[in-house]
Amino acid sequence: MLKLSFFNVADGDAALIQLPTEDGIFRILVDAGRRELEPYPGSLRRTVAQHLQARNITRLDAVIVTHLHEDHFGGLSGILPLTSVAHVYAGFYPEAPCRPAPEDAPKTVRGLVYCLNEWERTARQLHAAGAVLHPVTKTAALPVPEGLRVRLICPDPMAAVDQNRIWRKMCVGEPVSREEAYWSSKWRNPGSLRLELEYAGRRVILAGDCYGEGWQDLDLAPCDILKVPHHGDAKALTQTLVNKLRPAQAVISCGAAYISRKDRPSQEAIAMLRQAGSRVWFTDSFCAPCQQAEHWDSVDFTIGEDGSIRSPKL
């Protein structure tokens, strides 16, 4: 049986995939939330390190970083003292820290430099601890146990190459235009890696932060479980995408409080999912329209060998 755990890491992403095998339990961590979390009344949020420690997990076969925003990779630095990592998959690995961004640089570019430097330090720590670092710039299947299929989808390989070229120049101190720096920063979400899992005839999609309009025109089959992209905000979904995926279960990884400036989670996105027949789950204690707040440590699903799906217990 396959177990999927969508951790409550507040406004961030972290999911654990577990499959028992003859050699033990095969585990993949997809994203890792933030390094630190602010407490919130009634919330059961934890850092990824705390989630793993509470479950006595001391080894991960693979870690996937969908893209370089701190709410997706920041928590990785906290797991290393207690958890070994065999393989890491990410779109980019800096060769050196970036120089500080100019004071007049846009906020998104300053944030990019911060993330590149944090990721450089974290990736260096992972490598020093024995992890094998795999760059992902095109769609590929992951090596996983028999019975499970996992595809890492790179939305636009040519754009990924361009983004990495710009970031390499930034990391070695070569000049980069303001336009290049700005584009490479803003492409992080649209260029986010997505995962497609198949097990026992069931389909699961973990969509990172890919905006809905960026993949709505693809030839997509319905799925059983969807990790909604971009925390369920106004950019997360389109009606076309929802009509194609029609997820039976939809998980929105978000904080307990509504973020108005980002419309996160979006009532429109929630309504589209419900109208498509989806049961919508929130990882934190978010109170959605027509639904009382639920208090989760993690939102867990189990897919049996016969294809049955056991949903979280209310």
Side-chain angles (χ1 to χ4, degrees):
M1 63 180 181
L2 184 73
K3 184 172 182 178
L4 304 168
S5 297
F6 298 92
F7 291 151
N8 179 354
V9 290
D11 185 35
D13 261 31
L16 183 67
I17 302 163
Q18 299 185 86
L19 180 66
T21 69
E22 293 180 356
D23 300 322
I25 300 178
F26 179 83
R27 295 186 174 97
I28 301 175
L29 179 68
V30 183
D31 287 332
R34 301 175 187 272
R35 182 190 304 178
E36 298 178 354
L37 301 178
E38 294 183 2
Y40 190 88
S43 173
L44 300 179
R45 60 183 60 173
R46 293 176 173 178
T47 64
V48 159
Q50 292 169 333
H51 280 290
L52 297 179
Q53 188 173 7
R55 291 159 177 77
N56 296 314
I57 294 174
T58 58
R59 174 180 169 79
L60 295 169
D61 295 278
V63 168
I64 296 168
V65 176
T66 60
H67 64 291
L68 297 186
H69 273 131
E70 200 269 341
D71 61 323
H72 287 254
F73 75 85
L76 279 179
S77 59
I79 74 173
L80 289 175
L82 300 174
T83 308
S84 66
V85 177
H87 298 272
V88 181
Y89 298 85
F92 179 74
Y93 297 97
E95 298 174 12
C98 292
R99 295 178 180 177
E103 292 185 4
D104 63 344
K107 180 181 177 181
T108 185
V109 174
R110 298 196 303 272
L112 168 63
V113 171
Y114 168 81
C115 285
L116 286 174
N117 288 341
E118 286 295 302
W119 178 232
E120 188 276 334
R121 179 180 60 83
T122 301
R124 184 161 29 88
Q125 291 174 340
L126 287 162
H127 180 68
V132 180
L133 309 183
H134 302 269
V136 181
T137 55
K138 60 182 179 180
T139 296
L142 289 190
V144 294
E146 186 177 356
L148 174 65
R149 293 181 61 191
V150 178
R151 276 206 318 154
L152 257 182
I153 298 174
C154 179
D156 188 334
M158 292 183 65
V161 170
D162 284 342
Q163 186 182 60
N164 287 0
R165 174 184 56 80
I166 294 167
W167 288 353
R168 287 193 185 95
K169 291 172 70 173
M170 293 173 65
C171 290
V172 298
E174 295 183 9
V176 170
S177 71
R178 290 175 65 92
E179 292 77 15
E180 287 180 315
Y182 184 82
W183 172 83
S184 71
S185 173
K186 299 300 285 186
W187 181 253
R188 280 179 290 176
N189 284 339
S192 172
L193 299 175
R194 300 194 305 273
L195 274 79
E196 287 188 359
L197 286 70
E198 294 183 8
Y199 178 79
R202 298 295 189 175
R203 295 187 70 247
V204 179
I205 297 177
L206 279 65
D209 272 0
C210 289
Y211 300 149
E213 66 179 11
W215 54 302
Q216 66 175 357
D217 295 328
L218 299 178
D219 184 13
L220 300 166
C223 67
D224 298 285
I225 301 173
L226 171 68
K227 199 292 295 182
V228 177
H230 210 228
H231 318 284
D233 75 356
K235 299 178 181 179
L237 300 170
T238 66
Q239 190 64 62
T240 299
L241 183 61
V242 172
N243 290 345
K244 289 182 176 182
L245 296 179
R246 299 197 306 275
Q249 313 284 346
V251 180
I252 296 178
S253 187
C254 62
Y258 172 71
I259 303 176
S260 58
R261 63 186 175 86
K262 297 182 178 181
D263 190 14
R264 175 184 297 176
S266 166
Q267 292 190 21
E268 183 177 356
I270 296 167
M272 280 193 290
L273 288 165
R274 288 178 172 165
Q275 289 167 7
S278 305
R279 171 50 161 105
V280 181
W281 307 84
F282 304 93
T283 52
D284 209 340
S285 48
F286 179 75
C287 185
C290 306
Q291 182 176 331
Q292 288 186 333
E294 298 163 350
H295 299 273
W296 301 106
D297 168 66
S298 67
V299 176
D300 298 336
F301 298 88
T302 300
I303 303 177
E305 294 180 0
D306 60 355
S308 61
I309 298 180
R310 188 166 72 240
S311 302
K313 295 180 179 179
L314 295 177

